[in-house]
Amino acid sequence: MSETVTISISALETLLQAASEWSEELACHIAPASRDFGDEESAESQEEQSREIDRAFTLATELIEEAMEG
């Protein structure tokens, strides 16, 4: 099933910025704090979440650039 959604570039940029900031928070602050509390499993999960957000951010950015060019 395919749907078309309309969203302003400004709103999309805000969403992507928030995702990027959350990714950084996970990787730089939350995961290390989990590790400091001896919770390696949570730290690894948080780092993986950060990597997934980063991959989604990269893909979304590329798709936006393609859409703006085409």
Side-chain angles (χ1 to χ4, degrees), residues 7-26:
I7 184 171
S8 72
I9 295 297
S10 176
L12 197 50
E13 288 173 340
T14 299
L15 177 64
L16 289 172
Q17 182 62 35
S20 177
E21 289 173 9
W22 179 242
S23 174
E24 184 176 344
E25 187 71 21
L26 280 167

Side-chain angles (χ1 to χ4, degrees), residues 16 52-65:
L16 289 172
E52 289 175 5
I53 292 168
D54 291 344
R55 286 190 294 269
F57 177 88
T58 299
L59 176 60
T61 301
E62 290 171 359
L63 292 172
I64 290 168
E65 289 173 1

